[in-house]
Amino acid sequence: MYYLLRLTGFVLGNIPRKAGYFLVSLISKIFFFFSGEKKTVLKKNLSIVLGREPENSLLKTVYKNYALYYIDLFVRPEKIIKYVDGSKINPAIDVMAKQLEKTGILFLSSHLGSWDFVCSYLSSKIPGKVNVVVEKLSPPVYKWFTETRQRLGMKVIETSDIKAMMRALKNREILLLAADRDLDKKGLVIDFFGKRAHLPSGPAKLALKENVPVFFGTPYRDASNPMKMRPVILEEPVWPSDFGHGKEAVLELSKKIVFLIENAISRAPEQWCM
C-alpha cells in the first residue's frame, strides 16, 4: 500500500492538475452510484444543514469535491498556490505571524473545501511553525501521509499525542485541527445546526489550558473554477480568556467554535465532505 501511494503520488503529481480533476470527477460518479448507505447519511446531513431535502445534483457535487480534494493531496502545493486568491487569507496570516512572537496559535478548520491545502499554504507563508494533527491510520497509509506532509514543511502529530500538541503551543507554533469530527464520541454533545451532535471538546480544552488564541479558517474552492482557491481566515481570533475557567468555559468556547463551523459550512455546504 505504501509504495502504491508513492506511485500514485508520483503519477498524479506530474500530470496536469486539470486532467487529474477530470479523471477523479468521473470516478466520483461511479462511487456515487454505488455508495448506498453513505449517500443516505450524506443526504440526511445536508438536509439538516439546508433545512430541506438536497437535490441529487448537490449530492453529486459533494462527491466530486471530495474527489478533487484527493488530487490536491498529491499535487505539489506550488502548483496550487498560484491559483490562490489571497485577499481573505494573507492579512490574517500577517496577524498570526505577529501573534506567534508572543504565544502559540490553535488554528481550527473543518472538512470543507480542500482542507489539507490550508496546512501547506500556512507552511509556505510561516515555514517551520505548522503542526497538523492527524488520525492514526493503518501503518503504510500513515507513513506515506506523514512523509508527504513533512516534505511540505509540516510537523505531524497523532490525535492521541496530547503532550506533543501542548509542546507545540508552548513553543509558539501553530497547531492545526479539523474541529468538526469527534472520532471516539467522548467529547461534548452540542447543538449543531439545531440537532444534538457529538463534537470534540479537545480544541477548547487545549486553548484554555495553554491560554492561546483560536484562529479559524476554511480553504474554499472557487465554485465556478475548481482550480482556484478562495481561502478565508478570520483576522480576529477567539480569546479563551473571554470564557472563564472550568467545564462551563469548555462548553461555551466549544459552542463558539461550533458557531464558526456552522457559518463556514453554510457558505458552501456542497464542499463539506462529511
Side-chain angles (χ1 to χ4, degrees):
M1 176 61 77
Y2 170 73
Y3 292 104
L4 176 61
L5 286 168
R6 289 194 63 177
L7 176 62
T8 303
F10 175 79
V11 173
L12 293 180
N14 287 280
I15 65 173
R17 186 167 160 229
K18 196 170 185 178
Y21 277 8
F22 177 76
L23 174 64
V24 296
S25 293
L26 293 178
I27 294 173
S28 74
K29 292 179 181 179
I30 298 172
F31 273 90
F32 178 80
F33 184 79
F34 290 104
S35 59
E37 185 182 349
K38 290 185 178 180
K39 183 165 55 180
T40 302
V41 172
L42 172 63
K43 187 173 183 179
K44 180 180 178 181
N45 286 345
L46 282 180
S47 296
I48 294 170
V49 172
L50 298 171
R52 59 175 173 80
E53 187 170 300
E55 303 84 1
N56 223 37
S57 59
L58 183 60
L59 300 180
K60 290 179 180 178
T61 302
V62 174
Y63 270 74
K64 178 182 176 180
N65 277 319
Y66 196 26
L68 299 185
Y69 154 76
Y70 276 103
I71 286 291
D72 293 343
L73 198 60
F74 287 102
V75 172
R76 292 191 297 272
E78 60 268 21
K79 287 188 175 183
I80 303 177
I81 286 173
K82 62 182 180 180
Y83 290 101
V84 173
D85 177 356
S87 61
K88 296 289 181 67
I89 186 170
N90 290 337
I93 288 178
D94 291 338
V95 174
M96 292 171 67
K98 290 180 181 178
Q99 182 61 39
L100 287 173
E101 297 173 5
K102 306 171 187 175
T103 70
I105 287 173
L106 183 60
F107 187 100
L108 302 183
S109 190
S110 55
H111 293 85
L112 190 66
S114 186
W115 63 90
D116 266 299
F117 171 70
V118 76
C119 306
S120 55
Y121 191 81
L122 282 175
S123 292
S124 72
K125 295 293 183 180
I126 311 177
K129 290 283 190 176
V130 176
N131 300 264
V132 58
V133 178
V134 300
E135 176 186 358
K136 183 64 181 288
L137 306 168
S138 64
V141 177
Y142 186 74
K143 180 181 179 183
W144 171 83
F145 201 84
T146 301
E147 290 178 352
T148 300
R149 275 147 187 76
Q150 287 174 341
R151 282 197 296 270
L152 299 176
M154 290 173 248
K155 304 167 191 176
V156 176
I157 299 175
E158 292 180 26
T159 50
S160 60
D161 196 349
I162 306 299
K163 288 184 178 179
M165 297 182 206
M166 294 169 62
R167 187 163 54 247
L169 294 173
K170 289 181 188 297
N171 290 341
R172 292 186 294 184
E173 297 179 358
I174 299 171
L175 183 67
L176 200 149
L177 287 161
D180 59 346
R181 184 182 181 192
D182 184 10
L183 291 170
D184 54 15
K185 291 184 170 59
K186 293 180 180 178
L188 297 168
V189 178
I190 306 178
D191 278 357
F192 188 52
F193 286 103
K195 299 287 185 180
R196 303 296 281 173
H198 287 275
L199 289 158
S201 59
K205 289 178 178 177
L206 269 173
L208 287 160
K209 183 172 180 57
E210 298 301 323
N211 193 29
V212 295
V214 177
F215 284 79
F216 186 86
T218 304
Y220 292 106
R221 193 183 301 280
D222 190 313
S224 61
N225 182 358
M227 294 277 288
K228 294 182 178 179
M229 298 291 180
R230 297 185 180 276
V232 175
I233 298 179
L234 302 183
E235 286 187 49
E236 290 296 324
V238 177
W239 294 95
S241 55
D242 293 339
F243 296 86
H245 304 279
K247 291 183 179 180
E248 188 64 27
V250 172
L251 177 60
E252 293 306 315
L253 179 52
S254 296
K255 287 180 179 179
K256 176 64 177 180
I257 292 168
V258 167
F259 172 77
L260 295 174
I261 295 172
E262 288 175 334
N263 280 352
I265 293 171
S266 295
R267 291 181 60 175
E270 76 284 356
Q271 294 189 35
W272 188 40
C273 299
M274 284 293 288

